Every structure is written in structure tokens, then in C-alpha cells.
Amino acid sequence: MTGEESLRPQSLMLTFLGDQVLGRDVCVYSGSVIDVFARVGVGEQATRSTLTRMVNRGLLRRQREGRRMYFGLTERSAAVLRDGEHRIWQTGAVNRHWDGSWTLLGFSLPESWQRQRHDLRSQLTWSGFGPLFSGLWIAPGEVDVSSLVAELGLSAHVKVFRAHADAGMDIGAMIEETWELAELAARYAAFVRRWQPWLTERADAEDALALRLRLQAEWLRVIRQDPRLPVRHLPDDWPAEEAEKTFRAVHERFTPLAREASERLLDLVPVRDGQA
């Protein structure tokens, strides 16, 4: 499945707003969003539905100016976007500075709690954990899962430890047994195949704006599925570094044209308190 087929409109919307609105105290006109999303292949009805759903979920705020409706970020969505921004530009895809520590999380839930077990496993996977054994999960470094566990209401059923492996432990083998490395490597390789050609292909300003939006959304999706395993224990041909170089180079190439298109196409207004 290609990135074009699998990216959800909400993911694109958050990426778009993070790029154009985050930190600026402005709202963007719905018509501008519709125009940009049409260039990414998202129809008007899908874009309007996404805006409405995100307002209902507390991820967007509405602000009316005359007959036009504008949309901006809430505190919740801004926090999500700042986290993504940090992951892209500061944390990165390659973990070269691992301190040798692990976070171990053990849980024991009643047999009938199938939904809670599924939710916990999903959240742990999203947070970079892998199943060392059925009820014992592990992640590299120090991972704070207190809010995750509390939100699921499972604090009494979960135990968390920090640990180091014994000197004779084959960490590389443990990683291969715990995480789907082939699947993760394939996602990085697919990203490189899709985006490297854009280091030389030409794009006009409007296309560059749409392409940079999709580039950022696809890259964030890939790295958020990566537990950031220590690179010294990964295969020598691990493709994350090449993928990250590709992302940064293509992003840099698109940025001047994308900014030009943004200034021309986007109708922005300052945020006014009390609007919803």
C-alpha cells in the first residue's frame, strides 16, 4: 500500500496545521484548507467532514469572520503537534545515544478483560514497547508510561521497572525476537523509494506545498511506528539514516516554493478569545 492510499485526512490535517498554524496564534479559512487538500487528492466533502470531526473531538477551534469560517488549534492539538515536531527535528529516526537502559512493564489482567488487554497492548506498541514475553513488555531507554496506565485505569495491574541487561546477553538477538525489524525496515525503504526521485524532479509552488504536506505526514507516520532501537544493535544496513537524510533533503528543496504558495493561497486571521 502506498503512502497516498493509506494516509488519513486527519493525519494530513494535523500536519498541515502544524506547518501553517502552530505557534502563530492564527486561524485558517476553511476554503484555503479545501484548496490545499484538493491538491493532495482529498475531496471537499472529506475535508469538511474531517474539520467537523476534529472540532467535535476537541482538536480544532472554530472562529467566524463575517460569512467565513476559520479553524485553529486547541491546547490539545497543539500539544500533539509539538510532540510530533520534536520527534521529527530533535529526536530523529536514529538512536545513536542509547544509555544501555531498558523500561520493563509487566501486567496481569483478568481473563475477561479482553478489551483492556487490547487497549494496553496497542498503547504500549505506540510508545515503543515490544513483547518480551506475553505479560512482560520492554522498550529502550526510560519511558514514562504513568499517564498511559492511569488513563486506561490499569495502575493496580501494572508494574514498571528500569533495568540493564547482563553482560552476556545477546541484545541484537533479543531485539530481533521482540520487534518486527523486517517490517520496520521495509517502511523506511519504501519511503526512500517514494521520495528520493523528488531530489531532482521539478515541482511548481502549489505542487510543492501539497508534496511537502504529504512528505511530512508520511515521515511522521513512519518514525512514530519506530521504537527507536539502539542502532549499534541493529543490522549494518539499517535504512533509517538514509530515509532521514532523504526526508530532510526533500523537505529543504520543497520549502521555499511551499512558503511562496502558502503566502499566496492561505487566508489567515488572528485568533480571537471566546470564539468556538
Side-chain angles (χ1 to χ4, degrees):
M1 181 176 286
T2 69
E4 289 179 299
E5 293 170 327
S6 60
L7 278 175
R8 295 188 305 144
Q10 180 170 308
S11 298
L12 286 167
M13 189 69 70
L14 284 170
T15 301
F16 171 75
L17 294 170
D19 193 40
Q20 302 294 337
V21 173
L22 183 65
R24 299 179 63 188
D25 289 328
V26 297
C27 297
V28 59
Y29 171 47
S30 60
S32 299
V33 181
I34 289 167
D35 288 345
V36 172
F37 273 53
R39 299 176 186 276
V40 189
V42 180
E44 178 176 347
Q45 186 56 47
T47 301
R48 290 189 183 278
S49 296
T50 301
L51 288 168
T52 299
R53 285 196 304 272
M54 292 177 71
V55 169
N56 293 337
R57 293 171 182 171
L59 292 170
L60 292 183
R61 71 194 308 274
R62 281 187 291 230
Q63 179 170 306
R64 184 176 292 279
E65 300 284 340
R67 299 180 64 181
R68 291 189 166 190
M69 187 65 74
Y70 293 75
F71 292 84
L73 300 174
T74 62
E75 290 185 7
R76 178 183 171 194
S77 56
V80 170
L81 291 171
R82 283 192 293 269
D83 177 71
E85 187 177 60
H86 185 272
R87 184 70 198 269
I88 288 176
W89 299 111
Q90 298 182 45
T91 304
V94 183
N95 186 352
R96 298 187 182 88
H97 307 295
W98 180 56
D99 63 2
S101 69
W102 298 90
T103 299
L104 293 171
L105 183 145
F107 64 89
S108 178
L109 305 181
E111 196 63 34
S112 60
W113 287 19
Q114 294 183 8
R115 179 184 58 80
Q116 291 91 334
R117 186 176 289 103
H118 170 77
D119 290 346
L120 177 58
R121 287 171 173 168
S122 296
Q123 291 294 327
L124 290 176
T125 299
W126 184 254
S127 299
F129 284 80
L132 190 60
F133 300 107
S134 61
L136 182 62
W137 288 55
I138 188 169
E142 183 172 338
V143 183
D144 184 2
V145 293
S146 55
S147 59
L148 178 160
V149 173
E151 184 176 336
L152 293 174
L154 299 176
S155 299
H157 301 270
V158 171
K159 301 292 186 291
V160 181
F161 304 88
R162 314 293 179 201
H164 286 76
D166 282 351
M169 175 73 179
D170 187 337
I171 295 176
M174 184 273 289
I175 286 174
E176 290 184 4
E177 293 168 359
T178 305
W179 284 276
E180 296 289 343
L181 294 186
E183 183 179 321
L184 181 57
R187 286 196 288 264
Y188 279 123
F191 182 89
V192 171
R193 287 195 302 271
R194 171 161 165 70
W195 290 103
Q196 250 184 8
W198 285 104
L199 289 172
T200 54
E201 290 186 22
R202 296 177 61 84
D204 61 26
E206 287 76 8
D207 286 341
L209 176 61
L211 285 165
R212 192 177 72 152
L213 169 58
R214 185 170 289 280
L215 169 77
Q216 292 178 166
E218 289 186 19
W219 180 242
L220 186 57
R221 181 188 57 183
V222 171
I223 62 175
R224 276 188 164 161
Q225 293 170 327
D226 184 351
R228 296 197 77 247
L229 299 163
V231 70
R232 66 177 179 262
H233 293 293
L234 293 172
D236 292 338
D237 58 351
W238 191 244
E241 184 167 9
E242 183 184 10
E244 186 164 60
K245 287 180 179 178
T246 298
F247 165 75
R248 290 177 178 270
V250 175
H251 186 276
E252 182 178 0
R253 187 167 187 263
F254 284 157
T255 290
L257 286 173
R259 285 178 176 165
E260 175 190 325
S262 296
E263 292 175 1
R264 185 169 63 253
L265 297 176
L266 301 187
D267 177 6
L268 304 172
V269 296
V271 169
R272 287 193 285 112
D273 291 337
Q275 295 291 304

